[in-house]
Amino acid sequence: MKAPKFERKEAVFLDDKQVREVLELLDNEPIKWKLAMYLLIFGGMRRGELMGLEWSDIDFENHVIHIRQTSQYVKGMGIITKSPKNDSSERTIKLFDMVFKLLEQYRSYWLKLRDELTGYWQPFIEIILADGSKKTERNDRLFIKDGTTPMNLDSLTEWVSKFVKKNNLPHFSQHSLRHTHATILIANGVNIPTVSRRLGHSSISTTIKVYAHAIQSADEIASKVIDDKVNPQEKMK
């Protein structure tokens, strides 16, 4: 008896115009959520990777972000901190000037918040590791709850859902922005190995399977380009 085959659902993603609209709408949102969305769109990272970021992971001089750990909710344990999904997920992502200017603004906001919460802010926090053990580390997370603990991942999911409904946008989730990142790169000619490394996929075959739609579109564009350049019939017109 053969096991049933499960069809892979088409990844939900935004087109260029929709992304520009989202970016414009984010100008009216709190800087914390604006930055989170920018990092998802321009960095293509997973939700847990975003929530696992610490200031020590941000290289302001070279404009890169290091993905070294991830946050994850585990029933009965709460928010845990663990290694990235696979060896390839531990990576460095290059981002452009505008994102780092926003990071600098958020850093100023973050430090101001810390100063305002004097007496309540915890300079060191206890985190739970994947094996259930605990350790104390410096409170350095970009995204935190009440100045004391790593933020719950669902807080981001809920905010994105409210943002979409409030602005009457086509349905998308925070994970859709990762798909959007990859789709735009592929559609604009970035090679698959580079996209795969940027996403932190375990293999190029994973990228090919997930983004078959974008690869097909890029192939059609490539076909038109070569036809326009060398088709003798076109030159005769």
PDB file of all heavy atoms in Angstrom, residues 2 8 37 40-42 49-50 64 72 75 83 89 97 103 110 128 132 137 157 166 171 184 191 195 207:
ATOM      1  N   LYS A   2       0.699   2.093  -0.982  1.00  0.00           N
ATOM      2  CA  LYS A   2       1.530   3.276  -1.093  1.00  0.00           C
ATOM      3  C   LYS A   2       0.991   4.410  -0.223  1.00  0.00           C
ATOM      4  O   LYS A   2      -0.214   4.595  -0.105  1.00  0.00           O
ATOM      5  CB  LYS A   2       1.592   3.754  -2.548  1.00  0.00           C
ATOM      6  CG  LYS A   2       2.322   2.786  -3.481  1.00  0.00           C
ATOM      7  CD  LYS A   2       2.407   3.369  -4.869  1.00  0.00           C
ATOM      8  CE  LYS A   2       3.164   2.435  -5.807  1.00  0.00           C
ATOM      9  NZ  LYS A   2       3.256   2.986  -7.178  1.00  0.00           N
ATOM     10  N   ARG A   8       2.368  19.978  -2.591  1.00  0.00           N
ATOM     11  CA  ARG A   8       2.998  21.153  -1.993  1.00  0.00           C
ATOM     12  C   ARG A   8       2.169  22.393  -2.328  1.00  0.00           C
ATOM     13  O   ARG A   8       1.894  22.678  -3.483  1.00  0.00           O
ATOM     14  CB  ARG A   8       4.428  21.329  -2.518  1.00  0.00           C
ATOM     15  CG  ARG A   8       5.153  22.533  -1.905  1.00  0.00           C
ATOM     16  CD  ARG A   8       6.548  22.649  -2.466  1.00  0.00           C
ATOM     17  NE  ARG A   8       7.370  21.548  -2.025  1.00  0.00           N
ATOM     18  CZ  ARG A   8       8.047  21.533  -0.889  1.00  0.00           C
ATOM     19  NH1 ARG A   8       7.963  22.567  -0.067  1.00  0.00           N
ATOM     20  NH2 ARG A   8       8.787  20.501  -0.559  1.00  0.00           N
ATOM     21  N   MET A  37       9.341  44.129   9.995  1.00  0.00           N
ATOM     22  CA  MET A  37       8.856  43.871   8.636  1.00  0.00           C
ATOM     23  C   MET A  37       9.943  44.113   7.598  1.00  0.00           C
ATOM     24  O   MET A  37      10.075  43.360   6.626  1.00  0.00           O
ATOM     25  CB  MET A  37       7.642  44.762   8.362  1.00  0.00           C
ATOM     26  CG  MET A  37       6.432  44.446   9.222  1.00  0.00           C
ATOM     27  SD  MET A  37       5.569  42.947   8.697  1.00  0.00           S
ATOM     28  CE  MET A  37       4.572  43.608   7.351  1.00  0.00           C
ATOM     29  N   LEU A  40      12.246  41.155   7.551  1.00  0.00           N
ATOM     30  CA  LEU A  40      11.633  40.004   6.892  1.00  0.00           C
ATOM     31  C   LEU A  40      11.636  40.174   5.378  1.00  0.00           C
ATOM     32  O   LEU A  40      11.929  39.230   4.642  1.00  0.00           O
ATOM     33  CB  LEU A  40      10.201  39.818   7.397  1.00  0.00           C
ATOM     34  CG  LEU A  40      10.037  39.371   8.851  1.00  0.00           C
ATOM     35  CD1 LEU A  40       8.574  39.437   9.261  1.00  0.00           C
ATOM     36  CD2 LEU A  40      10.579  37.966   9.060  1.00  0.00           C
ATOM     37  N   ILE A  41      11.303  41.376   4.915  1.00  0.00           N
ATOM     38  CA  ILE A  41      11.226  41.628   3.468  1.00  0.00           C
ATOM     39  C   ILE A  41      12.607  41.649   2.818  1.00  0.00           C
ATOM     40  O   ILE A  41      12.850  40.991   1.809  1.00  0.00           O
ATOM     41  CB  ILE A  41      10.499  42.963   3.184  1.00  0.00           C
ATOM     42  CG1 ILE A  41       9.024  42.862   3.581  1.00  0.00           C
ATOM     43  CG2 ILE A  41      10.625  43.349   1.707  1.00  0.00           C
ATOM     44  CD1 ILE A  41       8.288  44.189   3.571  1.00  0.00           C
ATOM     45  N   PHE A  42      13.529  42.406   3.405  1.00  0.00           N
ATOM     46  CA  PHE A  42      14.840  42.587   2.779  1.00  0.00           C
ATOM     47  C   PHE A  42      15.868  41.536   3.194  1.00  0.00           C
ATOM     48  O   PHE A  42      16.870  41.353   2.514  1.00  0.00           O
ATOM     49  CB  PHE A  42      15.372  43.990   3.088  1.00  0.00           C
ATOM     50  CG  PHE A  42      14.584  45.085   2.443  1.00  0.00           C
ATOM     51  CD1 PHE A  42      13.690  45.841   3.180  1.00  0.00           C
ATOM     52  CD2 PHE A  42      14.707  45.356   1.092  1.00  0.00           C
ATOM     53  CE1 PHE A  42      12.942  46.855   2.593  1.00  0.00           C
ATOM     54  CE2 PHE A  42      13.967  46.364   0.484  1.00  0.00           C
ATOM     55  CZ  PHE A  42      13.078  47.110   1.236  1.00  0.00           C
ATOM     56  N   GLU A  49      14.320  33.210  13.505  1.00  0.00           N
ATOM     57  CA  GLU A  49      15.639  33.829  13.345  1.00  0.00           C
ATOM     58  C   GLU A  49      15.570  35.317  13.674  1.00  0.00           C
ATOM     59  O   GLU A  49      16.482  35.860  14.309  1.00  0.00           O
ATOM     60  CB  GLU A  49      16.138  33.614  11.919  1.00  0.00           C
ATOM     61  CG  GLU A  49      16.415  32.158  11.581  1.00  0.00           C
ATOM     62  CD  GLU A  49      16.692  31.905  10.118  1.00  0.00           C
ATOM     63  OE1 GLU A  49      16.382  32.794   9.283  1.00  0.00           O
ATOM     64  OE2 GLU A  49      17.203  30.825   9.791  1.00  0.00           O
ATOM     65  N   LEU A  50      14.492  35.956  13.232  1.00  0.00           N
ATOM     66  CA  LEU A  50      14.298  37.372  13.526  1.00  0.00           C
ATOM     67  C   LEU A  50      14.223  37.600  15.034  1.00  0.00           C
ATOM     68  O   LEU A  50      14.883  38.484  15.580  1.00  0.00           O
ATOM     69  CB  LEU A  50      13.009  37.861  12.861  1.00  0.00           C
ATOM     70  CG  LEU A  50      12.582  39.301  13.166  1.00  0.00           C
ATOM     71  CD1 LEU A  50      13.507  40.293  12.482  1.00  0.00           C
ATOM     72  CD2 LEU A  50      11.140  39.534  12.732  1.00  0.00           C
ATOM     73  N   VAL A  64      26.017  43.916   7.567  1.00  0.00           N
ATOM     74  CA  VAL A  64      25.613  42.517   7.514  1.00  0.00           C
ATOM     75  C   VAL A  64      24.983  42.110   8.841  1.00  0.00           C
ATOM     76  O   VAL A  64      25.263  42.696   9.891  1.00  0.00           O
ATOM     77  CB  VAL A  64      26.782  41.560   7.185  1.00  0.00           C
ATOM     78  CG1 VAL A  64      27.349  41.861   5.812  1.00  0.00           C
ATOM     79  CG2 VAL A  64      27.862  41.626   8.249  1.00  0.00           C
ATOM     80  N   GLN A  72      12.052  29.826  19.564  1.00  0.00           N
ATOM     81  CA  GLN A  72      10.979  28.898  19.215  1.00  0.00           C
ATOM     82  C   GLN A  72      10.102  28.659  20.438  1.00  0.00           C
ATOM     83  O   GLN A  72      10.600  28.581  21.564  1.00  0.00           O
ATOM     84  CB  GLN A  72      11.574  27.563  18.739  1.00  0.00           C
ATOM     85  CG  GLN A  72      10.547  26.525  18.328  1.00  0.00           C
ATOM     86  CD  GLN A  72      11.207  25.237  17.857  1.00  0.00           C
ATOM     87  OE1 GLN A  72      12.354  25.243  17.394  1.00  0.00           O
ATOM     88  NE2 GLN A  72      10.505  24.136  17.980  1.00  0.00           N
ATOM     89  N   LYS A  75       5.579  23.944  23.727  1.00  0.00           N
ATOM     90  CA  LYS A  75       4.556  23.764  24.746  1.00  0.00           C
ATOM     91  C   LYS A  75       5.148  23.128  25.995  1.00  0.00           C
ATOM     92  O   LYS A  75       5.875  22.144  25.924  1.00  0.00           O
ATOM     93  CB  LYS A  75       3.423  22.885  24.202  1.00  0.00           C
ATOM     94  CG  LYS A  75       2.211  22.801  25.114  1.00  0.00           C
ATOM     95  CD  LYS A  75       1.091  22.008  24.466  1.00  0.00           C
ATOM     96  CE  LYS A  75      -0.127  21.943  25.378  1.00  0.00           C
ATOM     97  NZ  LYS A  75      -1.240  21.178  24.749  1.00  0.00           N
ATOM     98  N   SER A  83      19.880  26.484  18.304  1.00  0.00           N
ATOM     99  CA  SER A  83      20.675  26.691  17.093  1.00  0.00           C
ATOM    100  C   SER A  83      19.747  26.813  15.896  1.00  0.00           C
ATOM    101  O   SER A  83      18.603  26.337  15.933  1.00  0.00           O
ATOM    102  CB  SER A  83      21.641  25.520  16.883  1.00  0.00           C
ATOM    103  OG  SER A  83      22.529  25.420  17.972  1.00  0.00           O
ATOM    104  N   SER A  89      21.624  27.209   7.855  1.00  0.00           N
ATOM    105  CA  SER A  89      20.829  28.322   8.372  1.00  0.00           C
ATOM    106  C   SER A  89      21.680  29.314   9.154  1.00  0.00           C
ATOM    107  O   SER A  89      21.296  30.475   9.328  1.00  0.00           O
ATOM    108  CB  SER A  89      19.698  27.796   9.260  1.00  0.00           C
ATOM    109  OG  SER A  89      18.770  27.053   8.498  1.00  0.00           O
ATOM    110  N   ASP A  97      21.846  50.199   2.792  1.00  0.00           N
ATOM    111  CA  ASP A  97      21.951  51.339   3.709  1.00  0.00           C
ATOM    112  C   ASP A  97      20.659  51.675   4.424  1.00  0.00           C
ATOM    113  O   ASP A  97      20.656  51.952   5.624  1.00  0.00           O
ATOM    114  CB  ASP A  97      22.437  52.585   2.955  1.00  0.00           C
ATOM    115  CG  ASP A  97      23.872  52.442   2.471  1.00  0.00           C
ATOM    116  OD1 ASP A  97      24.506  51.429   2.807  1.00  0.00           O
ATOM    117  OD2 ASP A  97      24.356  53.331   1.757  1.00  0.00           O
ATOM    118  N   LEU A 103      17.830  50.461  11.473  1.00  0.00           N
ATOM    119  CA  LEU A 103      18.390  49.750  12.622  1.00  0.00           C
ATOM    120  C   LEU A 103      19.025  50.723  13.618  1.00  0.00           C
ATOM    121  O   LEU A 103      18.894  50.552  14.837  1.00  0.00           O
ATOM    122  CB  LEU A 103      19.438  48.733  12.159  1.00  0.00           C
ATOM    123  CG  LEU A 103      18.916  47.343  11.776  1.00  0.00           C
ATOM    124  CD1 LEU A 103      19.963  46.593  10.956  1.00  0.00           C
ATOM    125  CD2 LEU A 103      18.536  46.538  13.011  1.00  0.00           C
ATOM    126  N   TRP A 110      15.607  51.735  21.378  1.00  0.00           N
ATOM    127  CA  TRP A 110      15.816  50.615  22.307  1.00  0.00           C
ATOM    128  C   TRP A 110      16.592  51.079  23.546  1.00  0.00           C
ATOM    129  O   TRP A 110      16.247  50.751  24.678  1.00  0.00           O
ATOM    130  CB  TRP A 110      16.569  49.511  21.573  1.00  0.00           C
ATOM    131  CG  TRP A 110      16.691  48.189  22.240  1.00  0.00           C
ATOM    132  CD1 TRP A 110      15.846  47.120  22.109  1.00  0.00           C
ATOM    133  CD2 TRP A 110      17.746  47.746  23.115  1.00  0.00           C
ATOM    134  NE1 TRP A 110      16.309  46.054  22.843  1.00  0.00           N
ATOM    135  CE2 TRP A 110      17.469  46.411  23.469  1.00  0.00           C
ATOM    136  CE3 TRP A 110      18.895  48.354  23.619  1.00  0.00           C
ATOM    137  CZ2 TRP A 110      18.299  45.677  24.316  1.00  0.00           C
ATOM    138  CZ3 TRP A 110      19.715  47.622  24.462  1.00  0.00           C
ATOM    139  CH2 TRP A 110      19.418  46.311  24.808  1.00  0.00           C
ATOM    140  N   ILE A 128      15.852  29.809  28.142  1.00  0.00           N
ATOM    141  CA  ILE A 128      15.710  28.349  28.153  1.00  0.00           C
ATOM    142  C   ILE A 128      16.313  27.795  26.870  1.00  0.00           C
ATOM    143  O   ILE A 128      16.022  28.288  25.771  1.00  0.00           O
ATOM    144  CB  ILE A 128      14.230  27.948  28.253  1.00  0.00           C
ATOM    145  CG1 ILE A 128      13.582  28.597  29.477  1.00  0.00           C
ATOM    146  CG2 ILE A 128      14.085  26.433  28.312  1.00  0.00           C
ATOM    147  CD1 ILE A 128      12.071  28.442  29.528  1.00  0.00           C
ATOM    148  N   GLY A 132      16.198  22.047  27.617  1.00  0.00           N
ATOM    149  CA  GLY A 132      15.482  22.337  28.854  1.00  0.00           C
ATOM    150  C   GLY A 132      16.322  23.020  29.913  1.00  0.00           C
ATOM    151  O   GLY A 132      15.783  23.509  30.916  1.00  0.00           O
ATOM    152  N   GLU A 137      22.091  35.334  30.422  1.00  0.00           N
ATOM    153  CA  GLU A 137      22.912  36.078  29.465  1.00  0.00           C
ATOM    154  C   GLU A 137      22.500  37.549  29.461  1.00  0.00           C
ATOM    155  O   GLU A 137      21.441  37.924  29.978  1.00  0.00           O
ATOM    156  CB  GLU A 137      22.775  35.494  28.057  1.00  0.00           C
ATOM    157  CG  GLU A 137      21.396  35.608  27.462  1.00  0.00           C
ATOM    158  CD  GLU A 137      21.356  35.148  26.014  1.00  0.00           C
ATOM    159  OE1 GLU A 137      22.198  34.331  25.598  1.00  0.00           O
ATOM    160  OE2 GLU A 137      20.465  35.630  25.293  1.00  0.00           O
ATOM    161  N   THR A 157       3.176  37.401  14.577  1.00  0.00           N
ATOM    162  CA  THR A 157       2.132  36.842  13.715  1.00  0.00           C
ATOM    163  C   THR A 157       0.824  37.608  13.871  1.00  0.00           C
ATOM    164  O   THR A 157       0.165  37.957  12.886  1.00  0.00           O
ATOM    165  CB  THR A 157       1.907  35.357  14.056  1.00  0.00           C
ATOM    166  OG1 THR A 157       3.136  34.647  13.899  1.00  0.00           O
ATOM    167  CG2 THR A 157       0.855  34.743  13.148  1.00  0.00           C
ATOM    168  N   LYS A 166      -6.268  45.882   8.824  1.00  0.00           N
ATOM    169  CA  LYS A 166      -6.455  47.320   8.996  1.00  0.00           C
ATOM    170  C   LYS A 166      -6.299  48.079   7.686  1.00  0.00           C
ATOM    171  O   LYS A 166      -7.001  49.065   7.426  1.00  0.00           O
ATOM    172  CB  LYS A 166      -5.455  47.853  10.025  1.00  0.00           C
ATOM    173  CG  LYS A 166      -5.562  49.346  10.273  1.00  0.00           C
ATOM    174  CD  LYS A 166      -4.628  49.792  11.383  1.00  0.00           C
ATOM    175  CE  LYS A 166      -3.179  49.765  10.951  1.00  0.00           C
ATOM    176  NZ  LYS A 166      -2.278  50.347  11.976  1.00  0.00           N
ATOM    177  N   HIS A 171      -4.436  38.926   1.741  1.00  0.00           N
ATOM    178  CA  HIS A 171      -3.945  38.134   2.868  1.00  0.00           C
ATOM    179  C   HIS A 171      -2.493  37.702   2.674  1.00  0.00           C
ATOM    180  O   HIS A 171      -2.111  37.203   1.618  1.00  0.00           O
ATOM    181  CB  HIS A 171      -4.799  36.880   3.062  1.00  0.00           C
ATOM    182  CG  HIS A 171      -4.204  35.929   4.061  1.00  0.00           C
ATOM    183  ND1 HIS A 171      -4.206  36.184   5.417  1.00  0.00           N
ATOM    184  CD2 HIS A 171      -3.547  34.754   3.891  1.00  0.00           C
ATOM    185  CE1 HIS A 171      -3.585  35.197   6.055  1.00  0.00           C
ATOM    186  NE2 HIS A 171      -3.182  34.316   5.147  1.00  0.00           N
ATOM    187  N   ILE A 184      11.293  37.637  -5.567  1.00  0.00           N
ATOM    188  CA  ILE A 184      11.801  38.840  -6.232  1.00  0.00           C
ATOM    189  C   ILE A 184      13.251  38.637  -6.679  1.00  0.00           C
ATOM    190  O   ILE A 184      13.643  39.046  -7.782  1.00  0.00           O
ATOM    191  CB  ILE A 184      11.682  40.062  -5.303  1.00  0.00           C
ATOM    192  CG1 ILE A 184      10.210  40.438  -5.130  1.00  0.00           C
ATOM    193  CG2 ILE A 184      12.473  41.253  -5.853  1.00  0.00           C
ATOM    194  CD1 ILE A 184       9.953  41.564  -4.154  1.00  0.00           C
ATOM    195  N   ASN A 191      21.040  34.075  -9.076  1.00  0.00           N
ATOM    196  CA  ASN A 191      21.148  32.635  -9.273  1.00  0.00           C
ATOM    197  C   ASN A 191      20.656  31.856  -8.051  1.00  0.00           C
ATOM    198  O   ASN A 191      20.698  32.333  -6.920  1.00  0.00           O
ATOM    199  CB  ASN A 191      22.579  32.232  -9.650  1.00  0.00           C
ATOM    200  CG  ASN A 191      23.578  32.537  -8.545  1.00  0.00           C
ATOM    201  OD1 ASN A 191      23.559  31.936  -7.476  1.00  0.00           O
ATOM    202  ND2 ASN A 191      24.468  33.492  -8.794  1.00  0.00           N
ATOM    203  N   VAL A 195      20.443  32.514  -3.807  1.00  0.00           N
ATOM    204  CA  VAL A 195      19.146  32.616  -3.117  1.00  0.00           C
ATOM    205  C   VAL A 195      19.063  31.570  -2.013  1.00  0.00           C
ATOM    206  O   VAL A 195      18.629  31.858  -0.895  1.00  0.00           O
ATOM    207  CB  VAL A 195      17.979  32.443  -4.112  1.00  0.00           C
ATOM    208  CG1 VAL A 195      16.641  32.424  -3.372  1.00  0.00           C
ATOM    209  CG2 VAL A 195      17.988  33.550  -5.153  1.00  0.00           C
ATOM    210  N   THR A 207      15.279  24.822  -2.382  1.00  0.00           N
ATOM    211  CA  THR A 207      14.940  26.105  -2.993  1.00  0.00           C
ATOM    212  C   THR A 207      14.209  25.898  -4.314  1.00  0.00           C
ATOM    213  O   THR A 207      13.209  26.574  -4.593  1.00  0.00           O
ATOM    214  CB  THR A 207      16.215  26.937  -3.240  1.00  0.00           C
ATOM    215  OG1 THR A 207      17.011  26.936  -2.053  1.00  0.00           O
ATOM    216  CG2 THR A 207      15.881  28.365  -3.628  1.00  0.00           C
TER     217      THR A 207
END
